[in-house]
Amino acid sequence: MPGGRVLTERHLEIFIALAEEEHFGTAAQRVGITQPPLSQGLRRLETLLGVRLFERERGVSLTEEGELLLPHARRALAAITELRESGAREQADGRRLRIGLTPEVPAWLAADVAAAPVRAGAPVRAGAPVRIGVAMAPTTTLLSDIAAGRLDLAVVRHPAVLHGLAAGQVVRLPTWTLTPADYAEDTLAAVLRELPVAVRARGEAPAAHDLFVDTLASRGRRVKTVVVSDERAGLALVAAGQAVLVTADDSLAATGVVRRETTDPPLPLRLRVAWDPRRRGSADCAETARLLADTLSGGPAVAG
């Protein structure tokens, strides 16, 4: 669209200044231009809006249409000013690093991961440290947000279809199986013959979900599952004697719930840090991904 056909910030400044000063010369001085460009800008604005904003026969006064549009012009100019100031603050505060985390990461470890770039002295801009933004979401959502540029990198469950995204090493966290106290003396195989395993919806991480279920089934166990919204909901079912829960969170506990290490078969929580190698700054993301993977491994990771 040609420049003369675009409503600009300058048009709004001219309109508001002339409405408040009611004098072409004073309004021009206020916006930092001479009177001819101000008059030209006003004519273009009136052409764009399709209305006459000022009466010019005796002095300068707003028309009825001008009176109606003036509050809108003030709000629009204020919004533009706020947007510019917000951008300036973001620039002054440094780069925002947007990190995503799958909800299966224990809370204490998620906090360590989010804080790791700051503790490691991440690169600064204009003398200010990097600012961290954190989002918790299922693996499929996190991968979509990385591809769309809404996240810089994310800790996701493995395996997952990456669709062109890059991912670092696989980190395996040990897990525990939570069972109702009534089954404390039974083997895990016996418990699983009686109770379903609480799992999150398959659509949140299809490949990782299938690997989990297939690993249980490979031991000849009849695998039943019940879908829960999160691990707290799963814990509630365990406490009620209605499910089994496998979790990497060693702090998850409730009355009437027994914890046992998951070893037969081992069902580690497999995680990777993913990012988009096609985006600007991907080299920095790769370096940060290694830092996050090291943080995950330190808390405690298992091989194999």
Side-chain angles (χ1 to χ4, degrees):
M1 182 178 290
R5 300 289 296 171
V6 177
L7 180 61
T8 67
E9 181 181 2
R10 177 62 83 190
H11 290 139
L12 298 174
E13 291 174 340
I14 289 172
F15 178 24
I16 295 168
L18 194 54
E20 293 175 353
E21 301 295 342
E22 296 184 337
H23 187 277
F24 276 92
T26 307
Q29 185 177 10
R30 173 171 156 178
V31 297
I33 59 177
T34 60
Q35 187 170 330
L38 182 135
S39 299
Q40 185 181 37
L42 176 60
R43 287 195 298 271
R44 287 178 177 171
L45 176 60
E46 289 179 327
T47 300
L48 283 169
L49 298 178
V51 296
R52 187 177 177 82
L53 297 173
F54 292 94
E55 296 289 354
R56 302 171 177 80
E57 294 179 359
R58 291 189 295 272
V60 183
S61 61
L62 285 166
T63 62
E64 183 177 347
E65 292 84 355
E67 292 278 3
L68 291 173
L69 291 176
L70 181 60
H72 297 285
R74 284 174 171 149
R75 286 195 294 271
L77 185 60
I80 292 172
T81 302
E82 183 179 358
L83 179 63
R84 181 182 293 108
E85 290 175 351
S86 296
R89 285 195 298 271
E90 286 292 318
Q91 179 72 12
D93 289 343
R95 186 172 72 88
R96 181 184 293 275
L97 181 65
R98 302 160 299 175
I99 301 174
L101 293 160
T102 184
E104 290 83 2
V105 178
W108 66 268
L109 185 53
D112 280 352
V113 168
V118 177
R119 292 172 179 167
V124 298
R125 176 184 294 177
V130 66
R131 300 174 62 208
I132 302 297
V134 179
M136 304 292 293
T139 289
T140 51
T141 301
L142 294 175
L143 294 174
S144 295
D145 286 347
I146 293 172
R150 291 185 288 269
L151 291 173
D152 296 303
L153 35 73
V155 178
V156 300
R157 291 182 65 186
H158 172 79
V161 179
L162 297 177
H163 295 299
L165 301 180
Q169 68 183 56
V170 178
V171 177
R172 296 167 174 82
L173 302 184
T175 59
W176 288 263
T177 302
L178 306 184
T179 60
D182 291 345
Y183 294 84
E185 301 301 322
D186 296 343
T187 64
L188 180 57
V191 178
L192 292 175
R193 283 195 292 269
E194 299 291 331
L195 297 176
V197 180
V199 296
R200 297 175 69 94
R202 180 181 182 274
E204 295 187 5
H209 175 280
D210 291 347
L211 176 61
F212 175 83
V213 174
D214 291 347
T215 301
L216 284 176
S218 68
R219 298 301 178 95
R221 293 168 176 154
R222 183 166 58 93
V223 181
K224 296 179 292 184
T225 61
V226 58
V227 175
V228 293
S229 58
D230 53 40
E231 290 192 340
R232 288 180 299 176
L235 178 63
L237 289 184
V238 177
Q242 298 178 10
V244 172
L245 177 67
V246 177
T247 177
D249 189 346
D250 58 2
S251 68
L252 205 61
T255 302
V257 172
V258 174
R259 175 189 302 275
R260 63 181 87 191
E261 190 172 356
T262 308
T263 57
D264 184 26
L267 294 166
L269 174 62
R270 295 174 172 87
L271 302 170
R272 298 179 81 180
V273 183
W275 69 95
D276 191 343
R278 300 160 295 192
R279 300 187 67 85
R280 182 180 178 182
S282 62
D284 288 340
C285 280
E287 181 178 349
T288 304
R290 286 190 290 272
L291 172 63
L292 300 192
D294 289 344
T295 304
L296 289 169
S297 299
V302 295

